Each structure stands twice: as structure tokens, then as C-alpha cells.
Amino acid sequence: MQKCQLRSIRSLVLLRYLGLRGIDAYKLPREMKALQHLETVDLRQTNVIHFPQLAMPKLVSLLGDRLVIPRDMDNMLELEELSMIVVNHRYSMVDAAKLVRKSEVLGVLGVRFEISNDQAGLIPFLDAVNQSNLHTFVVDDYYGTFLGLLEDGWLPRSWNLHIFELNISHYLNPKVPEKTVYLHGLTHLHVSVRVTEAEGLLVLGRLPYLVLLDLVSRDTLERCIISNECCF
């Protein structure tokens, strides 16, 4: 899709769903501000990273692979689904915590951690998750920073939260990270390791709520996916 084609969407003033999934797009046009009725924006499998500062009062779902969002997103009170947003020096865990606390209807939140020195902001953010109405919380720990910031365990205390998913498959772990056992409420885990060891499997066996394990061993080029409706 060409830039001129994207700009032409400003004439679709009643548009409610904008799906650009798989389109070779890098940037959203300013003309999107005319789409005041947009409810869903799907930017997955595109090259769009920066979501513009736009007033979209009816936006319910914003989906992407790695979205840097403006700090005033917490004013979009109708948001029910937001994923995957980047937490870094520009959009901090304090900003993310504010968004979660302010929203009463947000049910799905996906966060990609790209910050390694904000331990003070992690606990308030996780507290906000615990006090929220989220039913799905997905962590994309791209550089291993989320586990690196954790000193103690974290157990989701919200009755609403049914899915707590962690993806640490982007980089190669020498073995299953021991800190994984601190995430007592983990339900879904995607992890890549150099070598699969019995000790690492014992660590995963201590996760009482784990229902899906996607384990890749790079040395043997083997992949193991285990799914259980209850637990391991």
C-alpha cells in the first residue's frame, strides 16, 4: 500500500476498523485524525513502530508488534485491548502503570520491555496490573530485562487475570532462567535455550499454573510444545 493510498483514508470518516496487518507500511499518516469513529487498529506484521498522538475517543483495540505510544494514551478510556507496547526511556513503567490504573475496561495488555535500569518502576507497574481488570497480561521480555529487574517473585493477585504469558524466546539463554520460578502465576511460557537440562525442567515443574510451554533447544534444533488444560 502506497503512502498516497493511506492518506486517502481521511475520506472514510465513518471507518470503524482499520486492518493493515501484513502491509508494507512504516508510518501512519496524520490524516488518521479525521477518523473519529475508529474502534480497532491492527498494525501487526507491519513496520509501523510509532503510533501518532491522535484523539480517538472510541478506540477499543490497538494491536501491533512493537508500538511506541504517546503518553496521553491513558485518556483513551474505551481501550479494551492494547498490545504490544514498548516500555523504554521514552514511555516508562510509570506511564504504563498510570494507563492501567486509569482504565476500567482494559482487559488485554501486551508489554515489550526494552529498559534495564528501572527497578523502582517495576513494582508499582505490577501492583497496577494486580489492581486492574486485566484478564490477559503478556510480557515480551525481548532483552531479558523483565526477569533481570525482578528481585523477588510476583504472584498475580487479581481474580480477573487468567492468562499471564512470558516470551523470552528472542535471545538465546544458556539454560532455563532460574528466575522464571519466581513468576508463580505464569500460565504460558515461550523460551529458547542453548541446552535443555534436567535442572531447568525441574524449575519449570515448580510453576503451578503453567498450561503451555514452548521450549526451543538451539543446539539440538529441537522444539517442544506442551499444552495442558489444567497444569503440569
Side-chain angles (χ1 to χ4, degrees):
M1 182 175 287
Q2 302 297 323
K3 288 183 179 180
C4 59
Q5 293 176 303
L6 273 177
R7 287 173 180 169
S8 67
I9 64 174
R10 62 183 174 184
S11 61
L12 306 175
V13 293
L14 298 179
L15 190 67
R16 296 179 183 274
Y17 179 91
L18 177 60
L20 300 179
R21 188 170 185 170
I23 297 297
D24 187 21
Y26 290 83
K27 185 178 179 181
L28 294 177
R30 294 180 180 178
E31 286 78 5
M32 277 188 63
K33 65 182 179 181
L35 308 180
Q36 294 294 300
H37 294 278
L38 263 183
E39 295 179 357
T40 299
V41 178
D42 188 352
L43 302 172
R44 290 172 294 182
Q45 298 177 20
T46 71
N47 293 304
V48 176
I49 295 177
H50 296 280
F51 190 75
Q53 193 165 3
L54 301 171
M56 293 184 176
K58 298 183 179 181
L59 192 63
V60 172
S61 178
L62 176 58
L63 304 172
D65 297 323
R66 181 176 175 261
L67 290 176
V68 176
I69 63 174
R71 290 181 174 177
D72 65 351
M73 283 290 290
D74 59 315
N75 292 323
M76 297 185 182
L77 301 180
E78 299 299 318
L79 269 176
E80 298 178 9
E81 188 176 21
L82 180 61
S83 181
M84 300 284 303
I85 63 170
V86 173
V87 169
N88 54 20
H89 296 287
R90 179 176 177 179
Y91 188 86
S92 69
M93 278 186 271
V94 172
D95 297 317
K98 182 181 176 183
L99 183 148
V100 173
R101 287 196 185 98
K102 199 168 181 179
S103 175
E104 296 182 357
V105 297
L106 189 64
V108 177
L109 177 65
V111 180
R112 172 167 159 147
F113 283 83
E114 295 186 3
I115 189 169
S116 59
N117 59 352
D118 191 12
Q119 194 167 39
L122 180 61
I123 298 304
F125 170 66
L126 294 179
D127 285 343
V129 171
N130 266 332
Q131 297 166 17
S132 71
N133 292 318
L134 291 177
H135 58 76
T136 301
F137 178 42
V138 181
V139 173
D140 190 345
D141 197 13
Y142 195 80
Y143 298 111
T145 54
F146 177 75
L147 283 178
L149 290 172
L150 277 177
E151 287 188 345
D152 301 308
W154 181 64
L155 177 64
R157 298 190 300 271
S158 171
W159 289 104
N160 299 309
L161 194 63
H162 299 299
I163 296 177
F164 173 27
E165 182 174 338
L166 175 64
N167 187 353
I168 48 176
S169 63
H170 301 292
Y171 60 96
L172 187 61
N173 301 277
K175 58 181 182 179
V176 175
E178 294 181 4
K179 281 191 173 184
T180 307
V181 76
Y182 294 161
L183 302 175
H184 309 294
L186 197 64
T187 60
H188 296 65
L189 175 63
H190 308 266
V191 57
S192 293
V193 296
R194 186 177 299 280
V195 179
T196 305
E197 299 177 336
E199 181 182 353
L201 295 178
L202 287 174
V203 168
L204 299 178
R206 299 190 191 107
L207 296 171
Y209 301 106
L210 194 66
V211 297
L212 188 144
L213 171 63
D214 180 6
L215 177 64
V216 178
S217 177
R218 295 296 175 88
D219 274 7
T220 59
L221 298 178
E222 294 180 344
R223 184 171 199 159
C224 175
I225 300 178
I226 304 174
S227 177
N228 191 319
E229 292 183 0
C230 179
C231 55
F232 288 96

